[in-house]
């Protein structure tokens, strides 16, 4: 089975280099490595030990085209012969057994034909020497909001709202069955939840793969992500128009409590509060 790793990048060059270093230490090397550089001409070709390519994508109206970039990465990998697509966030360091874990799960009756998701540990800031890749297993502490089976376990799941795009895998056949990400989403938030809804509509559930562990490299952030409030409002409205439900409920609640937005509950449209500016709303596509 030819496995391709697909990573989107905009900045985070040191994190991207760390990911490539971790892939070089993998027990199973990727058959291909597709880096999709969004508005970032400084991203160079992957390390020679990790065979792959870099694609260039421009933003749409200043908003990073995450959905379009994932689709382009997948289409390119498939054209290059990939049979299993592994999507890794640029911040994620794969454990040595991540790729082999996803491959085995794709053949396992509990995981075959499903979106395969692995547990992710959020790391503390590294020391001056960076992360010790040989010691990542000692830091294993998967995010509590998602299932985290033990290595060797593959656990089916039918809740699409638990899907996340930090680390997941899908066979070529299942990707084509789902049809990819909805490219009406731009900027941060919502497109991965939409993708999981498209999967469910296509009869594709989730499965959690204990062996496919990843480690999210630390970077400064805000909780809730107020720097992305305009993107989240725009994409939340798009999601509601497509599915009749509100995504990212915790973030929307936190934004309302801070006076940054109004609406986003029931049938009330989500809007930025007075004085908060953001890009215009996109039109919704019928799923």
């Amino acid at each position: 089975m030819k496995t391709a790793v697909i990573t989107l990048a905009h900045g985070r060059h040191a994190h991207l280099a760390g990911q490539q270093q971790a892939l070089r230490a993998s027990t199973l090397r990727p058959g291909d490595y597709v880096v999709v550089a969004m508005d970032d001409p400084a991203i160079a070709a992957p390390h020679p030990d990790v065979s792959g390519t870099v694609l260039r994508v421009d933003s749409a109206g200043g908003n990073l085209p995450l959905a379009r970039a994932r689709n382009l990465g997948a289409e390119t990998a498939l054209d290059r012969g990939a049979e299993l697509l592994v999507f890794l966030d640029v911040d994620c360091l794969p454990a040595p057994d991540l790729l082999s874990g996803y491959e085995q799960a794709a053949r396992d009756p509990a995981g075959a034909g499903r979106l395969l998701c692995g547990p992710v540990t959020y790391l503390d800031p590294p020391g001056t020497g960076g992360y010790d890749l040989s010691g990542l297993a000692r830091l294993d502490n998967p995010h509590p909001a998602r299932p985290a089976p033990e290595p060797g376990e593959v656990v089916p799941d039918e809740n699409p709202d638990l899907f996340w795009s930090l680390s997941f895998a899908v066979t070529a056949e299942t990707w084509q069955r789902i049809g990819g990400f909805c490219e009406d989403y731009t900027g941060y938030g919502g497109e991965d939840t939409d993708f999981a809804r498209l999967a469910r509509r296509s009869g594709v559930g989730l499965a959690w793969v204990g062996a496919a562990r990843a480690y999210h490299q630390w970077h400064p952030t805000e909780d809730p992500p107020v720097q992305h409030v305009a993107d989240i409002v725009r994409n939340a409205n798009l999601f509601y128009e497509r599915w009749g439900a509100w995504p990212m409920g915790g973030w929307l609640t936190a934004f309302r409590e801070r006076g940054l937005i109004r609406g986003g509950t029931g049938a009330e449209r989500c809007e930025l509060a007075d004085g908060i500016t953001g890009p215009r709303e996109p039109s919704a596509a019928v799923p």
Side-chain angles (χ1 to χ4, degrees), residues 109-234:
R114 291 177 173 266
L115 290 178
L116 306 173
C117 301
V120 177
T121 292
Y122 279 77
L123 298 174
D124 291 331
T128 55
Y131 294 109
D132 176 9
L133 297 184
S134 66
L136 289 178
R138 296 193 296 271
L139 305 176
D140 193 65
N141 184 25
H143 194 287
R146 299 292 189 280
E150 292 297 316
E153 295 180 340
V154 179
V155 179
D157 192 327
E158 303 306 328
N159 184 356
D161 293 336
L162 289 181
F163 172 78
W164 58 6
S165 55
L166 286 174
S167 171
F168 75 98
V170 59
T171 63
E173 179 182 0
T174 303
W175 171 268
Q176 291 161 348
R177 180 178 178 183
I178 297 169
F181 285 78
C182 172
E183 296 186 9
D184 291 335
Y185 292 89
T186 60
Y188 186 86
E191 85 289 342
D192 48 358
T193 308
D194 188 284
F195 179 71
R197 292 293 180 100
L198 290 171
R200 183 177 67 174
R201 192 185 67 179
S202 301
V204 176
L206 309 182
W208 294 90
V209 182
R213 282 170 139 74
Y215 300 87
H216 187 281
Q217 302 171 81
W218 182 88
H219 61 78
T221 189
E222 295 183 72
D223 187 18
V226 296
Q227 72 274 31
H228 298 298
V229 63
D231 287 352
I232 289 170
V233 165
R234 182 184 61 252

Side-chain angles (χ1 to χ4, degrees), residues 1-2 12 19 32 46 51 54 60 71 78 120 139 162 200 205 215 260:
M1 178 179 288
K2 182 177 180 178
R12 305 276 173 80
Q19 182 182 97
D32 201 359
S51 175
V54 175
N71 287 346
L78 293 173
V120 177
L139 305 176
L162 289 181
R200 183 177 67 174
Y215 300 87
L260 298 174

